[in-house]
Amino acid sequence: MSNLDKLCEAQCSTHAVGNTIDTIINPRVKDLGGLSVRRLLPIAKRRMIGPWIFFDHMGPAEFAPGDGINVRPHPHINLATVTYVFEGEIMHRDSVGSLQAIQPGDINLMVAGSGIVHSERSSDAKRASGQRLHALQLWLALPEAYEECEPAFYHYPADTIPVVTVDEVPIRVMMGSIYGVVSPVQTFARTFYAEAQLQAGQSITIPNDEERAVYVVQGRMAAKEATIPEHTMAVFKRRSGIVLEAVTEAKIAIIGGESLSQRHIDWNFISSRKERIEQAKADWQAGRFPKIVGDDEEFIPLPD
């Protein structure tokens, strides 16, 4: 059994539900640079939802003046990170030269490819004033043909992300093509990621695809046979016409897409090849990854 499997057996809670929902995943709490996060993916019983292999819900957290988030420089390979902020701001820096404040509604897509290093901190201004921070961070496994692509960074301001109203429910289409709308955000496999805000009693039909899930950021949702509580993820069976109803006012994230081949994960490294992860670990220990200009005095060491 891998370290991830042992951790998930000890900390993760899942249960099967019925004819519509395959599994409900309850989060485990992790510390991320002074910020507690709820981690939903990966777990031993469910490594991926389509190409999505990692899902963290940060906050909401209150930072007093003088305090802030401090995720020191760390590496990634063979994946893409997606950061989305509901409230507050995260300052992103990386080894391809990016320096970008991520603000509410923006999409930050960082493509690790053959290898990238990044940090996530509070800006000097936000650290001085204090802030409330609330965000999601997801990782996409890259298809094998793109795993070793050149590292890159893409920033999409909030006003470039399309919104569609379906049955009076506003839906932001962050990535992919769903509900008749195509997001401008770069993708590498068939995938989707959307946010919906529902009032109590409103319903939403979940898009059809090979794999899909809904995370309840706020509120409570219900399928025919079960309630989906706040801060849980419902993974759906391969059935069409799945409809969810908001029991209370609710905010949800919808993810899904095509199934990819098996991926191996160790710390911040994901790859279709175990030997590639071992090489990345050795490279990080030996200092062979590129540095971040302006943030190269600290780093997160490889875990024992």
Side-chain angles (χ1 to χ4, degrees):
M1 182 180 284
S2 71
N3 290 336
L4 174 64
D5 290 337
K6 291 175 183 177
L7 178 67
C8 290
E9 289 292 335
Q11 297 186 358
C12 299
S13 173
T14 67
H15 59 275
V17 179
N19 294 328
T20 300
I21 300 173
D22 179 74
T23 307
I24 296 237
I25 302 173
N26 295 306
R28 62 196 189 276
V29 177
K30 303 283 288 181
D31 182 80
L32 184 68
L35 173 67
S36 290
V37 302
R38 300 174 190 86
R39 184 155 297 168
L40 283 301
L41 293 175
I43 62 171
K45 294 181 180 178
R46 191 79 198 199
R47 294 299 183 94
M48 301 170 72
I49 307 294
W52 300 99
I53 196 166
F54 181 93
F55 193 110
D56 264 6
H57 180 192
M58 310 176 189
E62 299 285 348
F63 288 95
D67 197 5
I69 183 172
N70 283 300
V71 181
R72 292 168 292 159
H74 59 280
H76 293 289
I77 61 164
N78 294 186
L79 60 85
T81 67
V82 177
T83 305
Y84 181 74
V85 175
F86 298 116
E87 298 176 80
E89 178 189 272
I90 298 173
M91 186 61 69
H92 166 96
R93 288 181 175 86
D94 64 43
S95 55
V96 299
S98 310
L99 174 60
Q100 179 64 55
I102 314 170
Q103 297 179 331
D106 297 349
I107 288 284
N108 262 32
L109 176 69
M110 185 186 74
V111 182
S114 60
I116 200 168
V117 178
H118 76 131
S119 64
E120 294 159 305
R121 301 184 186 269
S122 294
S123 65
D124 292 343
K126 291 296 183 183
R127 193 177 300 277
S129 65
Q131 68 167 328
R132 178 180 169 90
L133 183 62
H134 189 197
L136 296 180
Q137 188 170 84
L138 301 80
W139 296 356
L140 281 163
L142 293 174
E144 291 181 33
Y146 293 100
E147 281 188 314
E148 297 295 334
C149 68
E150 285 293 315
F153 176 79
Y154 304 91
H155 176 71
Y156 301 86
D159 60 6
T160 67
I161 305 301
V163 179
V164 61
T165 300
V166 180
D167 295 331
E168 300 184 352
V169 174
I171 301 169
R172 298 193 83 215
V173 180
M174 265 83 89
M175 296 184 72
S177 174
I178 52 173
Y179 300 111
V181 173
V182 180
S183 168
V185 177
Q186 173 77 38
T187 57
F188 297 87
R190 192 180 71 253
T191 186
F192 58 80
Y193 166 32
E195 172 193 277
Q197 182 78 46
L198 298 94
Q199 301 301 313
Q202 287 186 316
S203 297
I204 187 169
T205 300
I206 304 305
N208 294 328
D209 213 308
E210 290 179 41
E211 298 183 355
R212 58 261 163 90
V214 160
Y215 176 67
V216 182
V217 177
Q218 177 185 327
R220 198 152 36 104
M221 301 292 293
K224 284 184 178 180
E225 70 273 40
T227 297
I228 310 169
E230 187 171 77
H231 302 156
T232 63
M233 178 178 283
V235 183
F236 300 103
K237 294 185 175 179
R238 293 193 181 185
R239 296 184 56 184
S240 61
I242 294 176
V243 178
L244 299 184
E245 181 178 344
V247 179
T248 66
E249 182 179 354
K251 183 191 297 290
I252 62 173
I254 310 166
I255 60 172
E258 65 178 291
S259 302
L260 298 184
S261 61
Q262 180 186 9
R263 291 298 187 272
H264 306 284
I265 180 168
D266 192 332
W267 190 42
N268 294 316
F269 302 129
I270 286 173
S271 181
S272 62
R273 297 159 291 151
K274 287 184 178 180
E275 64 274 14
R276 181 66 180 89
I277 290 178
E278 292 306 312
Q279 181 63 57
K281 290 162 66 175
D283 288 344
W284 183 244
Q285 284 188 306
R288 289 191 288 263
F289 272 82
K291 305 295 185 183
I292 303 174
V293 175
D295 194 354
D296 59 357
E297 296 182 1
E298 297 182 297
F299 66 93
I300 301 177
L302 186 74
D304 295 332

